[in-house]
Amino acid sequence: MRYILLCIWCTFPLSVVKAQLSDAEYVYQSAKHSTVSTYSPDEIYEHLVLASNFSKETVQQIPFTDRRIIRIDLVYTTFRESDQFDQRQLDLARLQALIGINPRIVENQFFEWNIIGQTGCGSSSQCGKFFHGFVIYYEDYFTKETTRQEIDSIQSELRELNRLIVKNQESLQINYDRIDCLYPESNYSSEYLTDRLDKLYRCNEDYKGRVFFEADMDYKGRPTNVLVKGSLFPCPNDLAKRLQYVLQWNRGIVIGRKQYGVKAKGYVSFPLRGESVNITGFEIPENLIKEYQMLQQYSQCVAYDMDTSFAELIPKVEKRVVAKTLQRNQWNPELYVVDVTASMYPFTADLLKWLKLKNDSIPKHYVFFNDGNDKPTNQKVIGQTGGLYYAYTSSFEEVRTEMFEAMRNGGGGDLPENNFEALMAGMNQARPTGEIVMIADNYSFPRDEAMLARFTGNLRIILCHTDKGINTDYLTLARKYGFTLHTLDTDIEDLSKTRISIENINYQFQDGKYYRMR
C-alpha cells in the first residue's frame, strides 16, 4: 500500500531548482499560515525533523518510507534583523529546494501544508536556538490490533443497521422478475441415438418392453452418471454404460445467464429399432427450484429472479462513496474486486451495508485483496504477491466472513498494491461478460499495471479518499485502458479531452500522463 524512494541525506541549493518556482508558489499560497510562540512537533504522529540553518535556504532531503505522508510543516521565526529581509522569499527558496529533490510531493498532493511562524524570540541569538526547517508527519503504521479495531467498527455499523431494519420491517420489498429458463437440447436425434446404441449394446438376453433411465449431466451437457431403473431388465449395468457414452446435450439447463447441471429422464424400447431412445423430461435440482421460484412443466420451465430487499431504507442510511456510486449508477456487477488493506475500513463497511440492504438473490463473485498477507515488501513479486480471498455467493454472511478473513491476514505493507493481480484472479474465476467493480484506494496506486496487457473487460473503479483530489496516475490509467472512475459525486467516463475539470480541480493531459493544474 506504499511507495518507497531510497535516498541519501544531502543539501540542495536554490539555483538548481529554479524551474520549480511555480510549484513552490502554489504550495505557499495554498498552505495554511499561522503563528505560535514556540513550535513543538505534534507527538501524536510519528514524524521526521529536517532542520535548516537559520536564515539559510538549504534543506535536507526527505527520506520517503513505506508510509504515506499526511502533513508537512515549514517552520520559521518571524524576527527580522533588517527591514530588507524577505521571509516570504526565504520560505519559497526552502520549498523550492524540497520540491526539487522530491517532485512527487506536488504531483499528487494528498496531505496538508502548514507554514508556521514562531514569535517567541526577539534577537538573532535567541532565534538561532529556535527550530527552523520542515517537520514531516507520517500515517500511523497499521498493525493486527488496528485491523481488529477496524473490524469492530464495521461490526458496530452493521449492528446499527440491523436495528434500523428491525424498526422498519414494513419496508421489506419482494420483487419477482421472470428470467430465461431453457431446457437442454440433445445433440442427436432419437433415430441416431438408437442406431449408435444398437451397435454398442452387447446383452444377449431377449427382452421386449420399455426400460426407463435417469441421466445426470453437468452444466456443459455431458452425462456424469446414468441409472437404469427397474428390476426385471437383465442387463442394466451394460445399458447404463452405453447410454452414458452415446447421450450428449448442447449444454445444461439455462437459468438467466447461467448454466447448471440437471437430470434427464427417458426410456429405451426393446427391441432396438427406429426411434427407441427417447427423452421424456428433466428433473430440476431442488436448490434451483427454491432459488429461482421455478415452475416445472414438460414443454417449458419458468424461473423468476426474486429480490427481497430493504432498498427503501437506503436513502435513510449514511452513504459513503461506494454506496452512493452503486446507487447512482444501478449497475449489476458480476464481479467485485475490493481493496481491504489498512485505512479502507469506512469504505468496506459502506459496501457491506449496501449489500445487506440490497440482499440480491443472484450470486456474485468477490475478490478481496490485502496485498500479500503481510508479506515483506522485498518478497512481493508482480502477479505472485498473494493475499487474495474469493467468494461466489448471494449470502451476505459469507461475503462478510471472507472479507474479515482477508482483513485479519493483512497488515501495514507498502504503498503500491496488487489490484490487478486480484482483478485477473477474479476474471479467471468468474469469466464475467458484464460490469466489474473495483473499490480502490486513491492514495495508493497498483504496482502491477503490467498485468493489464491480458485484460479485456468493463471495469468501473470506485476511488476512495478523493477529498483532496484524484490521483493523476488513475486518470492516466483510465484514459489508457478505457476504464471509468467514480467518486462520491462524479462519474468520470470521458477522458478523451486533454484538459478536464473534476470537482473544481483542473487536470491536463501532457506527454502521456495527467497533471494537476495550478
Side-chain angles (χ1 to χ4, degrees), residues 13-32:
L14 172 62
S15 59
V16 180
V17 290
K18 270 189 176 179
Q20 296 293 338
L21 180 59
S22 60
D23 287 332
E25 288 275 9
Y26 175 77
V27 169
Y28 188 86
Q29 292 173 13
S30 61
K32 179 181 178 181

Side-chain angles (χ1 to χ4, degrees), residues 146-427:
T146 311
T147 300
R148 188 191 65 77
Q149 293 171 1
E150 290 192 345
I151 291 175
D152 286 347
S153 296
I154 295 174
Q155 297 277 41
S156 178
E157 290 195 29
L158 291 175
R159 285 192 293 271
E160 185 64 31
L161 180 62
N162 283 333
R163 285 192 284 270
L164 180 64
I165 289 173
V166 169
K167 292 179 181 178
N168 292 271
Q169 285 297 314
E170 72 280 0
S171 299
L172 177 65
Q173 297 177 341
I174 303 177
N175 300 314
Y176 295 92
D177 293 314
R178 185 167 176 174
I179 56 178
D180 290 338
C181 184
L182 304 172
Y183 287 129
E185 296 178 1
S186 176
N187 287 342
Y188 309 113
S189 67
S190 175
E191 188 175 12
Y192 179 80
L193 290 172
T194 302
D195 182 61
R196 291 198 68 192
L197 183 61
D198 188 35
K199 292 176 180 178
L200 295 170
Y201 186 62
R202 292 292 179 266
C203 184
N204 295 322
E205 296 288 341
D206 187 16
Y207 183 85
K208 292 182 180 181
R210 289 182 176 180
V211 179
F212 292 89
F213 66 86
E214 295 178 350
D216 294 320
M217 72 182 79
D218 64 14
Y219 75 99
K220 290 186 176 181
R222 300 172 299 194
T224 58
N225 182 61
V226 175
L227 174 66
V228 173
K229 312 201 66 162
S231 58
L232 298 179
F233 183 67
C235 305
N237 293 334
D238 187 70
L239 179 59
K241 180 178 179 181
R242 305 308 175 189
L243 284 172
Q244 185 166 346
Y245 183 77
V246 301
L247 293 173
Q248 181 69 56
W249 287 268
N250 63 336
R251 46 161 171 70
I253 188 171
V254 174
I255 305 175
R257 295 195 296 175
K258 298 185 181 297
Q259 295 177 194
Y260 300 92
V262 70
K263 180 178 290 185
K265 295 185 175 183
Y267 64 85
V268 180
S269 296
F270 288 93
L272 294 171
R273 60 175 177 265
E275 298 180 350
S276 289
V277 181
N278 290 276
I279 304 300
T280 58
F282 300 92
E283 182 179 316
I284 302 171
E286 282 297 324
N287 66 307
L288 295 181
I289 292 174
K290 181 179 179 181
E291 181 175 342
Y292 293 106
Q293 307 298 306
M294 298 183 71
L295 302 175
Q296 187 171 0
Q297 303 169 357
Y298 173 72
S299 59
Q300 64 174 338
C301 67
V302 179
Y304 294 92
D305 177 12
M306 183 185 76
D307 277 337
T308 60
S309 73
F310 286 89
E312 286 188 5
L313 295 182
I314 291 176
K316 301 179 182 180
V317 176
E318 178 191 2
K319 291 178 290 298
R320 303 180 180 102
V321 60
V322 176
K324 282 199 71 172
T325 300
L326 293 174
Q327 183 181 18
R328 184 171 67 236
N329 288 280
Q330 294 297 308
W331 298 319
N332 185 28
E334 298 176 43
L335 169 64
Y336 288 90
V337 182
V338 185
D339 181 352
V340 295
T341 54
S343 82
M344 287 293 285
Y345 133 69
F347 311 105
T348 49
D350 199 31
L351 173 63
L352 286 178
K353 290 192 292 184
W354 168 266
L355 294 175
K356 187 169 184 66
L357 289 173
K358 290 293 288 183
N359 195 26
D360 194 344
S361 61
I362 304 299
K364 307 289 186 185
H365 292 268
Y366 300 85
V367 180
F368 303 107
F369 64 95
N370 65 23
D371 196 37
N373 285 337
D374 213 13
K375 182 183 294 184
T377 300
N378 60 6
Q379 295 180 20
K380 294 179 180 179
V381 178
I382 290 178
Q384 301 176 39
T385 298
L388 310 181
Y389 294 77
Y390 307 92
Y392 173 61
T393 183
S394 60
S395 166
F396 170 79
E397 297 301 329
E398 291 181 21
V399 173
R400 180 179 64 175
T401 298
E402 201 66 25
M403 177 189 287
F404 287 174
E405 183 70 11
M407 292 176 67
R408 290 188 185 99
N409 291 328
D414 53 335
L415 269 171
E417 295 169 351
N418 60 332
N419 300 48
F420 299 127
E421 178 184 345
L423 173 65
M424 297 309 296
M427 292 291 290

